[in-house]
Amino acid sequence: MRKGLHKTYRKGQQYPNICQVILAFLLLLLPACHRDKTNSMLSDLEKMQNQPDSVLSSLQQIDTTQLNVGDKALYFYLYYTSLALQNKLPESNTSLEKARVYFEAQNDSSKLCRIYYLKGKINHQHYYLIKAQDDYETAIQYITPETDYRLLIDLKISMSNLYHFYRIYDREEQLLEQACQLAIQHKDSKLITRLCLLKSNLMKEQKLYQEALSYLHDAQNYAETSDTTQIAQIYSESGIVHLLLLQTDSAYHYLNLAAQTDKQNPLYRLQSAGLDAYIHQKEHAIDYFWKVIEMLPLDKRILAYRYAAEEMKKQGKMNESRKFLEEHIRLRDSTYYGRKEELLERMQNLREYKKQQERILQVEKNLSDKEVLLHRVVAFFAIIILASFLFYYRIKQNKNKLKIQLLRTEQERNQSDLKRKEAEIQYLKEKEEKETIALARLNQRLEYFKQLNEITIPILMQNRNKAGALHLQENDWTIIRNNTNACFDHFTERLKKLYPQLTEEEINFCCLVKMELPLSVLAEIYHIAKGSISRKKMRLKEKIGIENMSFDEFIASL
């Protein structure tokens, strides 16, 4: 029983251990699941970049301490992008710099382009203009065909603001025109309207008022009718340009339209009322001017006081002109002295930044020089090795070519010898065949002659007289001709056809010659000497016209 209790106790100890292992495993899985969920959430927020309010509210719910390096870089990238869309960029770009380091290691050009643009915006708003320009130019280097066109337009607008500060108006106008063409290409009417307003301000800055009005008319054509704030701004700017052209009626018309379009903005009502009072030369018109100017931003307020002072001076109102001028100087000086120390500090920082950049460039140049020298040495040895290899390869190739050529020459010679031997064999075969045929013909002729002589000679021998002389009758000659025709394929007929000038007696003589009878027999038949037989043959040879062969050879060839 004790043994059973002991076993039960051991089993009870095992169950808690198993539960602890399972619990620990689940606890390990929870952070991974949380990271996957956070990563998915950040990916979804990246697709909602055009909704900055939603993105920022969602980012506030994420605990950045639980994020890995990549997710944290994406988090700060989305955070700064959303703030930029709300025109609320923070003072520092430290977190953005961390995101830049990560995405630079990942070689993500699209995100690096926006990060450098945002860095430039932050430096720009702090008047670190050289740094801002460097950041903008770096952002341009990361532009790809997939880069959002809105980012390209914002980048060009920011760079144009830099050139506006430097008063390089032609470059500013060029950048704004490029941005406008890009917006037209993508049919973004809101951006086109914004760019037309910027170009109008540029023309107004250069006192090209007609061109400014032309751009304002373009902005009015592209503006969305539902955006009353933007339309009211266009009307207000048109009224100010007409006022600068001293076209007060047109100026009042547009300012009145601006007040009617955006009734929530008191500035437009004050502008319209003040201009109306000014047109009708009312005494309280000056009060409207003071109110309108007080509602403007500080930089525009300073310029407005100066313009008002000049206008009052033209009208001979020297006291009012002096008040506007004093206010202009007070604001300008307060702004100047308030920013003097800050500007000096920034200038010092810029100098330090330039020195650092120069030192960095010098170090990079030294490193690049050493690297170039190393590359040149490596390239030199590589060229030598390559040249040696090519030389060895060329020699080996030439040897192989020579070897192949010798083999081909030997093969061609062997083939030529083989063909020559084959031709000789063929010639010997043909010669043998011809000799065989000639021998067969000769044997056939001998056989014919034997048969012919067996037939003809007994006939001739029968016609001897008692003295032993041969006397052939006409019947004997007929038999000889018939035998010759039988043995030699109608010899007499062919001879008569070829040489019709021959007489019957001459044809009979040709038959005897065809049978190759000896001269002694022929002399005995014709009862003449052997020499006379030879002369007879010569006469027939001349009569027939035989050349280059004897008479016997000619008759034998027929």
Side-chain angles (χ1 to χ4, degrees):
M1 185 173 179
R2 286 182 179 178
K3 289 181 180 179
L5 289 172
H6 184 65
K7 289 181 180 177
T8 304
Y9 175 74
R10 289 179 66 186
K11 288 181 180 178
Q13 279 185 328
Q14 289 176 357
Y15 290 123
N17 292 335
I18 295 171
C19 292
Q20 289 174 0
V21 170
I22 293 172
L23 182 61
F25 181 71
L26 290 175
L27 289 174
L28 288 173
L29 286 177
L30 282 175
C33 295
H34 178 71
R35 283 196 298 270
D36 292 341
K37 183 179 178 182
T38 304
N39 185 271
S40 176
M41 182 179 179
L42 289 172
S43 299
D44 293 337
L45 291 176
E46 189 177 0
K47 300 174 183 177
M48 300 166 56
Q49 289 186 40
N50 293 328
Q51 303 174 20
D53 296 334
S54 302
V55 173
L56 285 173
S57 61
S58 300
L59 290 175
Q60 289 173 359
Q61 302 173 9
I62 297 175
D63 184 9
T64 58
T65 59
Q66 300 294 327
L67 299 178
N68 57 29
V69 178
D71 291 340
K72 192 174 290 186
L74 183 58
Y75 174 89
F76 288 123
Y77 170 78
L78 294 173
Y79 177 71
Y80 275 84
T81 302
S82 301
L83 289 177
L85 292 173
Q86 293 182 337
N87 294 321
K88 296 179 182 178
L89 277 172
E91 297 290 326
S92 173
N93 62 0
T94 306
S95 301
L96 190 63
E97 182 64 19
K98 295 178 181 178
R100 180 196 67 79
V101 172
Y102 174 78
F103 288 119
E104 203 162 64
Q106 299 296 318
N107 198 21
D108 193 335
S109 298
S110 61
K111 289 185 176 60
L112 286 172
C113 181
R114 188 177 291 277
I115 287 171
Y116 275 107
Y117 163 70
L118 294 174
K119 284 183 63 182
K121 289 284 289 184
I122 293 171
N123 288 322
H124 197 166
Q125 70 185 10
H126 290 90
Y127 293 95
Y128 298 134
L129 303 183
I130 297 177
K131 289 183 179 181
Q133 187 171 356
D134 288 345
D135 290 330
Y136 290 148
E137 290 175 354
T138 307
I140 291 173
Q141 295 175 6
Y142 285 102
I143 291 174
T144 63
E146 291 77 23
T147 304
D148 187 5
Y149 76 93
R150 290 182 288 268
L151 174 59
L152 298 180
I153 291 174
D154 289 340
L155 184 57
K156 291 182 182 295
I157 291 173
S158 299
M159 292 188 71
S160 70
N161 291 336
L162 276 179
Y163 286 110
H164 184 83
F165 181 82
Y166 297 144
R167 295 185 179 275
I168 307 175
Y169 295 131
D170 55 345
R171 181 59 180 155
E172 178 188 1
E173 184 178 358
Q174 184 181 1
L175 286 168
L176 290 176
E177 181 62 27
Q178 291 174 2
C180 191
Q181 292 300 322
L182 197 59
I184 292 171
Q185 181 181 349
H186 290 84
K187 299 179 180 179
D188 194 327
S189 57
K190 192 170 184 180
L191 280 175
I192 297 172
T193 305
R194 179 188 171 192
L195 288 163
C196 288
L197 285 170
L198 290 172
K199 290 200 283 187
S200 171
N201 290 332
L202 175 61
M203 296 298 107
K204 187 170 67 175
E205 184 80 13
Q206 300 178 70
K207 297 184 180 182
L208 302 173
Y209 302 125
Q210 293 298 335
E211 288 80 354
L213 283 176
S214 176
Y215 284 125
L216 287 170
H217 291 157
D218 292 340
Q220 188 175 349
N221 292 332
Y222 282 105
E224 297 177 357
T225 54
S226 58
D227 193 349
T228 55
T229 302
Q230 194 173 56
I231 293 174
Q233 182 185 0
I234 295 170
Y235 287 147
S236 175
E237 291 292 332
S238 300
I240 291 171
V241 173
H242 280 292
L243 188 60
L244 292 170
L245 289 169
L246 302 178
Q247 299 172 355
T248 53
D249 292 339
S250 298
Y252 176 73
H253 170 71
Y254 280 107
L255 291 174
N256 192 32
L257 284 175
Q260 293 176 5
T261 303
D262 190 359
K263 296 179 181 179
Q264 302 298 324
N265 194 335
L267 176 63
Y268 299 144
R269 293 198 303 273
L270 286 173
Q271 286 177 341
S272 177
L275 184 59
D276 180 62
Y278 174 76
I279 292 172
H280 294 89
Q281 297 182 354
K282 296 179 181 179
E283 293 181 357
H284 60 279
I286 195 69
D287 298 330
Y288 283 106
F289 281 131
W290 281 103
K291 291 178 182 179
V292 170
I293 292 173
E294 288 298 326
M295 295 180 69
L296 294 174
L298 181 60
D299 54 345
K300 290 187 177 180
R301 200 187 313 166
I302 294 171
L303 293 174
Y305 279 130
R306 191 186 73 186
Y307 290 145
E310 292 176 354
E311 184 63 27
M312 292 299 105
K313 185 178 179 180
K314 289 179 182 177
Q315 296 181 16
K317 299 177 181 179
M318 301 306 295
N319 290 331
E320 295 296 335
S321 175
R322 181 176 52 79
K323 290 179 182 179
F324 281 121
L325 189 59
E326 287 175 353
E327 195 66 23
H328 165 71
I329 294 171
R330 183 184 67 80
L331 288 177
R332 186 192 64 185
D333 291 346
S334 63
T335 304
Y336 173 74
Y337 289 115
R339 288 188 177 179
K340 183 176 180 180
E341 293 182 1
E342 183 181 358
L343 288 173
L344 289 173
E345 182 181 358
R346 287 176 180 172
M347 289 176 66
Q348 184 65 27
N349 291 336
L350 285 175
R351 291 194 190 96
E352 290 296 327
Y353 174 73
K354 277 188 175 181
K355 290 180 180 178
Q356 290 178 2
Q357 290 294 320
E358 289 174 358
R359 285 196 293 269
I360 291 170
L361 288 174
Q362 186 63 34
V363 171
E364 289 179 351
K365 184 181 178 183
N366 293 336
L367 289 174
S368 63
D369 290 342
K370 291 180 181 178
E371 189 176 357
V372 168
L373 180 61
L374 178 62
H375 288 169
R376 285 178 179 174
V377 171
V378 172
F380 176 73
F381 284 107
I383 290 170
I384 291 175
I385 294 170
L386 181 62
S388 302
F389 174 75
L390 290 175
F391 182 71
Y392 169 75
Y393 176 75
R394 188 67 179 271
I395 292 174
K396 190 174 181 180
Q397 193 177 28
N398 290 334
K399 286 182 178 179
N400 290 334
K401 284 183 179 179
L402 183 60
K403 188 175 180 181
I404 291 169
Q405 190 174 1
L406 290 173
L407 289 173
R408 284 179 179 174
T409 305
E410 187 177 358
Q411 186 180 6
E412 289 174 358
R413 187 171 62 252
N414 292 335
Q415 288 178 353
S416 177
D417 293 341
L418 182 61
K419 288 180 180 179
R420 188 175 67 255
K421 289 179 180 179
E422 288 177 353
E424 289 177 357
I425 293 170
Q426 184 69 24
Y427 172 73
L428 292 174
K429 284 182 180 180
E430 291 177 357
K431 186 177 180 181
E432 186 179 359
E433 289 177 358
K434 288 180 180 179
E435 289 177 352
T436 304
I437 293 170
L439 183 60
R441 286 180 179 177
L442 182 59
N443 291 332
Q444 186 179 12
R445 287 176 65 187
L446 289 173
E447 191 65 30
Y448 285 160
F449 291 146
K450 286 179 182 179
Q451 294 177 5
L452 185 59
N453 291 333
E454 287 176 359
I455 296 170
T456 307
I457 291 174
I459 295 171
L460 294 174
M461 293 300 109
Q462 291 177 3
N463 294 311
R464 286 182 181 272
N465 58 16
K466 292 179 179 180
L470 288 174
H471 292 283
L472 298 179
Q473 303 297 323
E474 187 62 33
N475 292 334
D476 297 331
W477 287 109
T478 302
I479 292 169
I480 290 170
R481 292 175 68 166
N482 291 335
N483 291 337
T484 306
N485 289 331
C487 292
F488 298 106
D489 191 21
H490 304 285
F491 172 74
T492 58
E493 295 176 6
R494 290 187 289 109
L495 186 61
K496 185 68 175 175
K497 187 176 181 181
L498 290 172
Y499 305 103
Q501 70 271 26
L502 296 177
T503 62
E504 292 296 327
E505 187 271 329
E506 291 172 340
I507 290 174
N508 291 338
F509 179 76
C510 289
C511 288
L512 295 175
V513 174
K514 185 68 175 176
M515 290 188 294
E516 297 185 2
L517 294 177
L519 285 175
S520 57
V521 176
L522 293 176
E524 192 175 354
I525 291 172
Y526 285 99
H527 307 288
I528 57 178
K530 293 179 182 180
S532 299
I533 293 298
S534 298
R535 286 191 292 273
K536 186 175 183 69
K537 289 180 179 181
M538 290 298 295
R539 286 194 297 272
L540 285 173
K541 180 180 178 182
E542 292 176 359
K543 188 175 184 179
I544 295 172
I546 300 169
E547 295 179 355
N548 301 325
M549 65 175 67
S550 65
F551 180 75
D552 292 347
E553 291 175 344
F554 173 74
I555 295 300
S557 65
L558 292 176

